[in-house]
Amino acid sequence: AQSVTQLDSQVPVFEEAPVELRCNYSSSVSVYLFWYVQYPNQGLQLLLKYLSGSTLVESINGFEAEFNKSQTSFHLRKPSVHISDTAEYFCAVKDDGSNFGNEKLTFGTGTRLTIIP
Amino acid sequence: ETGVTQSPTHLIKTRGQQVTLRCSSQSGHNTVSWYQQALGQGPQFIFQYYREEENGRGNFPPRFSGLQFPNYSSELNVNALELDDSALYLCASRGEGYQETQYFGPGTRLLVL
């Protein structure tokens, strides 16, 4: 069984300040890791993902996340946030694909990021 | 744009009724998964279909069922609706290859009264 813990349900941050959204996971098998973003009244959009290789992954809009296997973490960071980053952010894990057919994503409960002007 | 569409966008039903939600995936995406997202929660996996057969299921009762069609469309059917079924229902599709990412549709918001 897998689980994802997002320790902060809400994170308020001033515009142009840095932010870190925390994600820890538990799994008995190797995993892929994802961050999805959900804007109000919309579905989920993939922000970034870690499948293999470099443990630091980046998105096109300035977010980055680092996979830390020893700490089972995949924290999301951005050095300077913008008003448009206001959204709900979900961390998710799935099996690394060695068991083909199991596409189940296990999500955390989400972190609501609010940017303060 | 993920290329995944869902219909309807919103739906209101009463307890005990049945509902069918629809999803249209990208061409070539043979795997489709359905998720239920209750208010204030993360999405919960309902089940997935690969080439028209169910091949994975989460902790949902049998009154949640699905179909996948050769034209990359799929359905989620829920019988005997309960108040707790009120949620955003998301479908996600992916292509072949074990490193392919799932892409989500915008969801259908179901309210059961």
Side-chain angles (χ1 to χ4, degrees), chain B residues 37-106:
Chain B
Q37 185 180 13
L39 198 61
Q41 300 296 318
Q44 297 289 318
F45 176 74
I46 302 174
F47 47 54
Q48 72 181 35
Y49 279 76
Y50 175 68
R51 295 191 175 185
E52 303 167 48
E53 291 194 10
E54 183 182 307
N55 70 339
R57 193 176 185 91
N59 189 27
F60 280 81
R63 60 188 184 85
F64 285 78
S65 63
L67 287 171
Q68 186 185 26
F69 304 101
N71 64 352
Y72 306 109
S73 66
S74 58
E75 293 180 353
L76 165 65
N77 299 289
V78 187
N79 294 320
L81 284 167
E82 301 177 358
L83 298 180
D84 286 347
D85 295 333
S86 294
L88 180 68
Y89 288 85
L90 299 161
C91 77
S93 72
R94 68 183 287 281
E96 300 284 353
Y98 69 92
Q99 289 197 343
E100 286 291 323
T101 302
Q102 292 188 47
Y103 292 95
F104 284 79

Side-chain angles (χ1 to χ4, degrees), chain A residues 37-57:
Chain A
V37 59
Q38 187 174 39
Y39 298 101
N41 300 312
Q42 294 188 26
L44 297 172
Q45 298 178 27
L46 179 67
L47 189 59
L48 46 75
K49 61 185 178 182
Y50 170 77
L51 303 181
S52 62
S54 172
T55 57
L56 183 66
V57 291

Side-chain angles (χ1 to χ4, degrees), chain B residues 7-54:
Chain B
S7 63
T9 56
H10 295 81
L11 200 55
I12 300 175
K13 292 285 188 178
T14 57
R15 194 170 47 182
Q17 285 188 310
Q18 178 267 342
V19 68
T20 297
L21 311 181
R22 294 180 173 81
C23 173
S24 179
S25 306
Q26 291 186 40
S27 177
H29 281 199
N30 292 313
T31 301
V32 65
S33 303
W34 286 89
Y35 291 80
Q36 179 195 67
Q37 185 180 13
L39 198 61
Q41 300 296 318
Q44 297 289 318
F45 176 74
I46 302 174
F47 47 54
Q48 72 181 35
Y49 279 76
Y50 175 68
R51 295 191 175 185
E52 303 167 48
E53 291 194 10
E54 183 182 307

Side-chain angles (χ1 to χ4, degrees), chain A residues 2 7 55 69 80 97 106:
Chain A
Q2 297 170 332
L7 295 169
T55 57
K69 189 174 182 179
S80 176
T106 299

